[in-house]
Short mmCIF file of all heavy atoms in Angstrom, two decimals:
data_model
loop_
_atom_site.label_atom_id
_atom_site.label_comp_id
_atom_site.label_asym_id
_atom_site.label_seq_id
_atom_site.Cartn_x
_atom_site.Cartn_y
_atom_site.Cartn_z
N GLU A 1 4.00 -165.17 48.67
CA GLU A 1 5.45 -164.98 48.61
C GLU A 1 5.86 -164.20 47.36
O GLU A 1 6.72 -163.31 47.42
CB GLU A 1 6.18 -166.32 48.65
CG GLU A 1 6.10 -167.04 49.98
CD GLU A 1 6.74 -166.26 51.12
OE1 GLU A 1 7.74 -165.55 50.90
OE2 GLU A 1 6.21 -166.33 52.24
N GLU A 2 5.24 -164.52 46.23
CA GLU A 2 5.55 -163.82 44.98
C GLU A 2 5.13 -162.35 45.07
O GLU A 2 5.86 -161.47 44.60
CB GLU A 2 4.86 -164.50 43.79
CG GLU A 2 5.50 -165.80 43.38
CD GLU A 2 6.96 -165.65 42.99
OE1 GLU A 2 7.30 -164.70 42.24
OE2 GLU A 2 7.78 -166.47 43.44
N ALA A 3 3.98 -162.08 45.67
CA ALA A 3 3.51 -160.69 45.82
C ALA A 3 4.47 -159.91 46.72
O ALA A 3 4.80 -158.75 46.42
CB ALA A 3 2.10 -160.67 46.39
N ILE A 4 4.93 -160.53 47.80
CA ILE A 4 5.88 -159.86 48.70
C ILE A 4 7.18 -159.56 47.97
O ILE A 4 7.71 -158.45 48.06
CB ILE A 4 6.12 -160.72 49.97
CG1 ILE A 4 4.85 -160.70 50.84
CG2 ILE A 4 7.33 -160.22 50.75
CD1 ILE A 4 4.88 -161.66 52.00
N LYS A 5 7.69 -160.52 47.20
CA LYS A 5 8.92 -160.31 46.44
C LYS A 5 8.74 -159.17 45.44
O LYS A 5 9.63 -158.34 45.26
CB LYS A 5 9.31 -161.59 45.69
CG LYS A 5 9.95 -162.64 46.56
CD LYS A 5 10.32 -163.84 45.72
CE LYS A 5 10.70 -165.00 46.59
NZ LYS A 5 10.91 -166.24 45.82
N ARG A 6 7.58 -159.12 44.79
CA ARG A 6 7.31 -158.09 43.79
C ARG A 6 7.28 -156.70 44.44
O ARG A 6 7.89 -155.76 43.95
CB ARG A 6 5.98 -158.39 43.08
CG ARG A 6 5.73 -157.54 41.86
CD ARG A 6 4.52 -157.99 41.06
NE ARG A 6 3.30 -158.00 41.84
CZ ARG A 6 2.64 -159.09 42.23
NH1 ARG A 6 3.09 -160.29 41.91
NH2 ARG A 6 1.53 -159.01 42.93
N ILE A 7 6.61 -156.60 45.59
CA ILE A 7 6.54 -155.31 46.30
C ILE A 7 7.92 -154.91 46.80
O ILE A 7 8.33 -153.76 46.67
CB ILE A 7 5.52 -155.38 47.46
CG1 ILE A 7 4.11 -155.53 46.89
CG2 ILE A 7 5.63 -154.16 48.36
CD1 ILE A 7 3.05 -155.90 47.91
N MET A 8 8.65 -155.84 47.37
CA MET A 8 9.98 -155.54 47.91
C MET A 8 10.97 -155.13 46.82
O MET A 8 11.94 -154.45 47.10
CB MET A 8 10.54 -156.74 48.69
CG MET A 8 9.84 -157.01 50.01
SD MET A 8 9.91 -155.62 51.15
CE MET A 8 11.66 -155.46 51.41
N SER A 9 10.70 -155.51 45.58
CA SER A 9 11.62 -155.16 44.49
C SER A 9 11.44 -153.72 44.02
O SER A 9 12.27 -153.21 43.27
CB SER A 9 11.44 -156.13 43.31
OG SER A 9 10.21 -155.88 42.65
N HIS A 10 10.36 -153.06 44.44
CA HIS A 10 10.13 -151.67 44.04
C HIS A 10 11.18 -150.77 44.68
O HIS A 10 11.57 -150.95 45.84
CB HIS A 10 8.73 -151.20 44.45
CG HIS A 10 7.64 -151.78 43.63
ND1 HIS A 10 7.27 -151.32 42.40
CD2 HIS A 10 6.81 -152.81 43.87
CE1 HIS A 10 6.29 -152.04 41.91
NE2 HIS A 10 5.99 -152.96 42.79
N LYS A 11 11.62 -149.80 43.93
CA LYS A 11 12.62 -148.86 44.40
C LYS A 11 12.14 -148.13 45.64
O LYS A 11 11.01 -147.65 45.69
CB LYS A 11 12.93 -147.84 43.30
CG LYS A 11 14.01 -146.86 43.64
CD LYS A 11 14.24 -145.87 42.52
CE LYS A 11 15.27 -144.86 42.95
NZ LYS A 11 15.43 -143.81 41.93
N GLY A 12 12.97 -148.08 46.67
CA GLY A 12 12.65 -147.34 47.88
C GLY A 12 11.94 -148.12 48.97
O GLY A 12 11.83 -147.64 50.10
N VAL A 13 11.46 -149.33 48.67
CA VAL A 13 10.75 -150.11 49.69
C VAL A 13 11.76 -150.61 50.72
O VAL A 13 12.77 -151.22 50.39
CB VAL A 13 9.96 -151.28 49.08
CG1 VAL A 13 9.38 -152.19 50.16
CG2 VAL A 13 8.84 -150.75 48.18
N VAL A 14 11.47 -150.30 51.99
CA VAL A 14 12.35 -150.66 53.10
C VAL A 14 11.90 -151.96 53.75
O VAL A 14 12.71 -152.78 54.16
CB VAL A 14 12.38 -149.52 54.15
CG1 VAL A 14 13.20 -149.91 55.35
CG2 VAL A 14 12.90 -148.23 53.53
N GLY A 15 10.60 -152.14 53.87
CA GLY A 15 10.08 -153.33 54.52
C GLY A 15 8.61 -153.52 54.30
O GLY A 15 7.89 -152.60 53.89
N LEU A 16 8.14 -154.73 54.59
CA LEU A 16 6.74 -155.09 54.42
C LEU A 16 6.33 -155.97 55.60
O LEU A 16 7.08 -156.85 56.00
CB LEU A 16 6.56 -155.84 53.11
CG LEU A 16 5.16 -156.28 52.75
CD1 LEU A 16 4.97 -156.21 51.24
CD2 LEU A 16 4.85 -157.68 53.24
N ILE A 17 5.15 -155.70 56.13
CA ILE A 17 4.62 -156.48 57.25
C ILE A 17 3.18 -156.87 56.92
O ILE A 17 2.40 -156.01 56.49
CB ILE A 17 4.62 -155.68 58.57
CG1 ILE A 17 6.00 -155.07 58.84
CG2 ILE A 17 4.16 -156.54 59.74
CD1 ILE A 17 5.99 -153.93 59.84
N VAL A 18 2.83 -158.11 57.12
CA VAL A 18 1.44 -158.54 57.02
C VAL A 18 1.00 -158.86 58.45
O VAL A 18 1.69 -159.59 59.17
CB VAL A 18 1.29 -159.80 56.13
CG1 VAL A 18 -0.16 -160.27 56.11
CG2 VAL A 18 1.79 -159.50 54.71
N ILE A 19 -0.12 -158.26 58.86
CA ILE A 19 -0.63 -158.49 60.21
C ILE A 19 -2.02 -159.11 60.13
O ILE A 19 -2.75 -158.90 59.16
CB ILE A 19 -0.67 -157.18 61.05
CG1 ILE A 19 -1.57 -156.13 60.40
CG2 ILE A 19 0.73 -156.63 61.24
CD1 ILE A 19 -1.75 -154.86 61.24
N ASN A 20 -2.38 -159.87 61.17
CA ASN A 20 -3.72 -160.44 61.20
C ASN A 20 -4.70 -159.42 61.78
O ASN A 20 -4.31 -158.29 62.12
CB ASN A 20 -3.74 -161.76 61.98
CG ASN A 20 -3.47 -161.60 63.46
OD1 ASN A 20 -3.47 -160.50 64.01
ND2 ASN A 20 -3.22 -162.72 64.13
N HIS A 21 -5.96 -159.80 61.90
CA HIS A 21 -7.00 -158.85 62.35
C HIS A 21 -6.80 -158.41 63.81
O HIS A 21 -7.40 -157.43 64.24
CB HIS A 21 -8.40 -159.45 62.15
CG HIS A 21 -8.70 -160.60 63.04
ND1 HIS A 21 -8.22 -161.87 62.79
CD2 HIS A 21 -9.40 -160.68 64.19
CE1 HIS A 21 -8.64 -162.68 63.75
NE2 HIS A 21 -9.35 -161.99 64.61
N GLU A 22 -5.94 -159.10 64.55
CA GLU A 22 -5.64 -158.72 65.93
C GLU A 22 -4.42 -157.81 66.01
O GLU A 22 -4.02 -157.39 67.10
CB GLU A 22 -5.42 -159.96 66.78
CG GLU A 22 -6.65 -160.84 66.91
CD GLU A 22 -6.34 -162.15 67.61
OE1 GLU A 22 -5.19 -162.65 67.51
OE2 GLU A 22 -7.26 -162.68 68.25
N GLY A 23 -3.80 -157.52 64.87
CA GLY A 23 -2.63 -156.65 64.85
C GLY A 23 -1.32 -157.38 65.13
O GLY A 23 -0.31 -156.75 65.43
N ILE A 24 -1.32 -158.68 64.98
CA ILE A 24 -0.11 -159.48 65.22
C ILE A 24 0.59 -159.74 63.89
O ILE A 24 -0.03 -160.22 62.94
CB ILE A 24 -0.47 -160.81 65.92
CG1 ILE A 24 -1.11 -160.52 67.27
CG2 ILE A 24 0.75 -161.71 66.06
CD1 ILE A 24 -1.76 -161.71 67.94
N PRO A 25 1.89 -159.42 63.80
CA PRO A 25 2.62 -159.68 62.55
C PRO A 25 2.70 -161.18 62.27
O PRO A 25 3.06 -161.96 63.14
CB PRO A 25 4.02 -159.12 62.82
CG PRO A 25 3.91 -158.27 64.03
CD PRO A 25 2.73 -158.78 64.81
N ILE A 26 2.32 -161.56 61.06
CA ILE A 26 2.40 -162.97 60.68
C ILE A 26 3.43 -163.19 59.58
O ILE A 26 3.84 -164.31 59.34
CB ILE A 26 1.02 -163.54 60.26
CG1 ILE A 26 0.41 -162.69 59.16
CG2 ILE A 26 0.09 -163.61 61.46
CD1 ILE A 26 -0.85 -163.29 58.57
N LYS A 27 3.84 -162.11 58.93
CA LYS A 27 4.88 -162.18 57.90
C LYS A 27 5.56 -160.82 57.87
O LYS A 27 4.89 -159.79 57.91
CB LYS A 27 4.23 -162.46 56.54
CG LYS A 27 5.17 -162.89 55.51
CD LYS A 27 4.83 -164.32 55.18
CE LYS A 27 5.77 -164.97 54.25
NZ LYS A 27 6.41 -166.13 54.75
N SER A 28 6.88 -160.81 57.80
CA SER A 28 7.57 -159.53 57.80
C SER A 28 8.97 -159.68 57.20
O SER A 28 9.60 -160.72 57.34
CB SER A 28 7.69 -158.98 59.22
OG SER A 28 8.36 -157.74 59.20
#
């Protein structure tokens, strides 16, 4: 959660998705 917040705080970041090895979004 902290890593996602840190990445999302960067200028210009619109979105972030974490997917599992099957290509299914598990966090977005």
Side-chain angles (χ1 to χ4, degrees):
E1 290 298 326
E2 286 301 315
I4 290 172
K5 283 181 191 173
R6 191 171 57 250
I7 292 168
M8 289 301 298
S9 71
H10 287 279
K11 183 181 176 185
V13 173
V14 176
L16 181 146
I17 308 161
V18 177
I19 60 175
N20 67 12
H21 68 281
E22 296 173 331
I24 298 169
I26 55 172
K27 195 114 186 121
S28 181

